[in-house]
Amino acid sequence: MTDKFKKMFDISMKFEKGNLVNGYVNDKDDAGGETVYGITRKNFPKLKVWASLDKLNGIVAKRGYKIPQDEMEEIMNVYYKNFYQRVNAEAFNDVCLGMQIFDFAINAGVSTAVKTLQRLMHITVDGICGKQTVTTANVRHTKSVREDYRKARIAYYNGISTKGNNKKYLKGWIKRAETCDKVFL
């Protein structure tokens, strides 16, 4: 894992865990279901952290669980392989754009994050962040691509906020989109 990934991971984890020790949540309104550090049990049920959390009684104990290094490394590997590498975040010249895409992939899925960028740049929309997508983003004026991407991300959140109980998450999603890359500026 690279230093760039570690910094992006730390930024995204501030949103995923909020003010909690590990971000443990089991919100009935969240389509992701039970999560820790933003990782859903339904998508990654074999992580060691779930066995550790299952030994604890009550939400307070689960939220207070300090994740040991081996479990944290496993969580970081999930983010690295399933999000960071799949959106090719390392390849973007504009680290802020890479941060936006990586963070949006975590929050909305890899395909949504990449397709949003591809639509903005008017290139083939296939949800795969390959050479054409990265090269096109790198040769364009990156600040405007980044700003347009952030706006498209917010528009996406506004669109899904009308479904189910998503409206309660809208303010946090918008704050996340507006601030996740500012640490690199």
Side-chain angles (χ1 to χ4, degrees):
M1 286 180 239
T2 67
D3 289 339
K4 190 186 289 186
F5 163 74
K6 289 175 185 171
K7 186 168 185 177
M8 288 183 185
F9 174 81
D10 288 344
I11 292 165
S12 290
M13 289 308 99
K14 288 177 184 172
F15 295 106
E16 290 297 337
K17 69 183 191 100
N19 294 325
L20 304 172
V21 171
N22 60 30
Y24 178 83
V25 178
N26 194 3
D27 184 342
K28 65 179 175 45
D29 295 330
D30 185 346
E34 188 177 19
T35 65
V36 64
Y37 270 98
I39 298 293
T40 60
R41 183 188 288 253
K42 73 179 184 179
N43 290 327
F44 300 96
K46 297 188 189 281
L47 292 180
K48 294 177 201 172
V49 70
W50 297 120
S52 297
L53 288 170
D54 288 342
K55 294 175 186 172
L56 302 172
N57 292 321
I59 194 154
V60 173
K62 290 179 181 187
R63 285 185 174 168
Y65 176 64
K66 291 186 176 116
I67 297 176
Q69 186 63 33
D70 64 323
E71 291 177 9
M72 197 66 217
E73 285 175 15
E74 193 176 39
I75 289 168
M76 288 179 73
N77 280 329
V78 167
Y79 278 99
Y80 187 72
K81 290 176 183 172
N82 294 279
F83 301 101
Y84 188 79
Q85 286 185 321
R86 289 192 53 212
V87 300
N88 219 345
E90 190 81 20
F92 290 97
N93 292 341
D94 181 350
V95 69
C96 296
L97 178 61
M99 178 68 222
Q100 279 285 354
I101 297 164
F102 170 64
D103 190 69
F104 194 31
I106 292 167
N107 194 237
V110 170
S111 182
T112 297
V114 175
K115 285 179 178 180
T116 299
L117 178 62
Q118 291 168 333
R119 281 187 199 99
L120 283 174
M121 296 187 306
H122 305 288
I123 59 175
T124 302
V125 178
D126 61 7
I128 299 168
C129 195
K131 186 175 182 175
Q132 179 192 26
T133 303
V134 171
T135 301
T136 304
N138 284 343
V139 299
R140 301 244 172 121
H141 186 264
T142 54
K143 183 178 179 189
S144 65
V145 172
R146 178 179 0 111
E147 289 171 356
D148 290 345
Y149 190 83
R150 186 181 305 115
K151 290 174 189 172
R153 186 176 174 184
I154 291 169
Y156 171 84
Y157 293 140
N158 279 310
I160 66 168
S161 72
T162 62
K163 298 174 184 164
N165 291 320
N166 282 341
K167 188 169 185 153
K168 73 180 189 179
Y169 307 117
L170 182 60
K171 186 177 178 183
W173 288 336
I174 290 173
K175 181 179 179 184
R176 184 175 183 151
E178 289 177 341
T179 62
C180 79
D181 64 352
K182 291 191 180 353
V183 294
F184 287 102
L185 297 175

